[in-house]
């Protein structure tokens, strides 16, 4: 049973346009959500996070939106750049402290120049 | 910022041998270490959670006798894949947590190939 789902395995966007990556979750106990960027054969790099008490968090070109009622979050990247091309993982955790992250399967973003 | 050093970055071993992967937190004390495994085009799957000085907690389906985890100090955790087989070939990643909440820091990963 996959608790964190990224239903789009890949996404292609033109440089300068907006990239929207989606993530759904099933566990209502999740209260903190994170987005990671990952290149092949490297560890994930933290991008942005959001607590369940918020519905939006913005950091530069990256904005994460959380819709708790729909158990849905999305990562917006604008404007998209070729260097953004990577696999993006959505992750969630149920508690503060030592709870491990639960990851989605990832979405491969390709930004075309 | 917090850094986790993971070694080796890649290793090729013969079937039946054992391989040790190390994760060190360089500038913070890692009270908890998580070990993940990623197969091609799949998600990062949690294998086990270890707290310094205590036995690791393994996820369902992960053989604790095959994947030995040692977290003997607040800066070092090791994962030993014993009697490795080709199906153990995967990308292994550690993640360390320090004192602050939601402070997950990942290592750079280890690509294990068993031939």
């Amino acid at each position: 049973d996959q608790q964190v789902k990224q239903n789009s395995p890949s996404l292609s966007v033109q440089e300068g346009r907006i990239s929207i990556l989606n993530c759904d979750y099933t566990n209502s106990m999740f209260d903190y959500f994170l987005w990671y960027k990952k290149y092949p054969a490297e560890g994930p790099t933290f991008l942005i996070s959001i607590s369940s008490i918020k519905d939006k968090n913005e950091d530069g070109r990256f904005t994460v939106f959380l819709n708790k009622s729909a158990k849905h979050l999305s990562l917006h990247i604008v404007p998209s750049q070729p260097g953004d091309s990577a696999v993006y993982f959505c992750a969630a955790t149920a508690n503060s402290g030592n709870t491990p992250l639960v990851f989605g399967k990832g979405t491969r973003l390709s930004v075309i120049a | 910022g917090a850094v986790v050093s993971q070694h080796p970055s890649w290793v090729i071993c013969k079937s039946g041998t054992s391989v040790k992967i190390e994760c060190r937190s360089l500038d913070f004390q890692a009270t908890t270490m998580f070990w993940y495994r990623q197969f091609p085009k799949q998600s990062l799957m949690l294998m086990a959670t270890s707290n310094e000085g205590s036995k690791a907690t393994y996820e369902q389906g992960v053989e604790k006798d095959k994947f030995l985890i040692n977290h003997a100090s607040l800066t070092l955790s090791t994962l030993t894949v014993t009697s490795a087989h080709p199906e153990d070939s995967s990308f292994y990643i550690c993640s360390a947590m320090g004192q602050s909440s939601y402070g997950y820091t990942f290592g750079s990963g280890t690509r294990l190939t068993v031939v």
Side-chain angles (χ1 to χ4, degrees):
Chain A
D1 177 33
Q2 212 175 346
Q3 298 183 69
V4 177
K5 300 178 184 179
Q6 292 177 258
N7 292 320
S8 298
S10 63
L11 173 69
S12 285
V13 172
Q14 221 165 5
E15 181 180 7
R17 306 293 290 266
I18 185 171
S19 296
I20 300 177
L21 298 99
N22 293 302
C23 179
D24 298 290
Y25 62 97
T26 58
N27 189 339
S28 58
M29 298 300 291
F30 287 147
D31 61 1
Y32 196 74
F33 306 88
L34 305 91
W35 282 95
Y36 287 86
K37 179 180 179 180
K38 187 180 180 301
Y39 295 110
E42 292 185 11
T45 302
F46 171 75
L47 276 176
I48 193 169
S49 62
I50 188 167
S51 163
S52 60
I53 62 173
K54 294 186 175 181
D55 54 19
K56 177 182 175 181
N57 188 26
E58 191 173 350
D59 183 4
R61 296 186 298 116
F62 302 92
T63 303
V64 55
F65 295 91
L66 175 63
N67 183 334
K68 280 178 58 181
S69 60
K71 293 191 176 68
H72 176 83
L73 63 154
S74 60
L75 173 67
H76 292 211
I77 306 173
V78 56
S80 301
Q81 300 172 354
D84 296 330
S85 298
V87 178
Y88 289 78
F89 286 94
C90 170
T93 182
N95 205 356
S96 58
N98 300 330
T99 308
L101 297 174
V102 179
F103 286 87
K105 285 190 174 182
T107 297
R108 179 175 300 279
L109 173 66
S110 299
V111 180
I112 304 162
Chain B
V3 176
V4 172
S5 175
Q6 183 172 346
H7 293 281
S9 55
W10 62 270
V11 58
I12 302 173
C13 71
K14 289 185 177 180
S15 187
T17 61
S18 295
V19 174
K20 180 185 280 189
I21 301 170
E22 288 190 354
C23 267
R24 292 182 183 272
S25 57
L26 296 187
D27 47 6
F28 69 102
Q29 293 184 327
T31 52
T32 302
M33 280 277 195
F34 304 108
W35 287 93
Y36 293 85
R37 177 169 56 184
Q38 184 189 22
F39 292 108
K41 298 184 180 180
Q42 296 295 314
S43 179
L44 284 79
M45 300 300 296
L46 180 68
M47 298 175 65
T49 301
S50 72
N51 293 298
E52 184 267 338
S54 61
K55 289 185 179 180
T57 303
Y58 290 81
E59 295 300 299
Q60 193 172 14
V62 178
E63 301 174 56
K64 62 180 179 181
D65 294 330
K66 181 172 184 60
F67 298 99
L68 301 179
I69 291 173
N70 186 287
H71 194 167
S73 78
L74 284 171
T75 58
L76 175 64
S77 177
T78 60
L79 167 67
T80 302
V81 184
T82 62
S83 186
H85 291 285
E87 56 265 31
D88 299 324
S89 299
S90 186
F91 190 62
Y92 293 85
I93 310 174
C94 64
S95 174
M97 283 198 69
Q99 299 295 326
S100 62
S101 298
Y102 308 132
Y104 303 90
T105 303
F106 284 85
S108 54
T110 298
R111 168 75 62 194
L112 170 64
T113 303
V114 185
V115 297

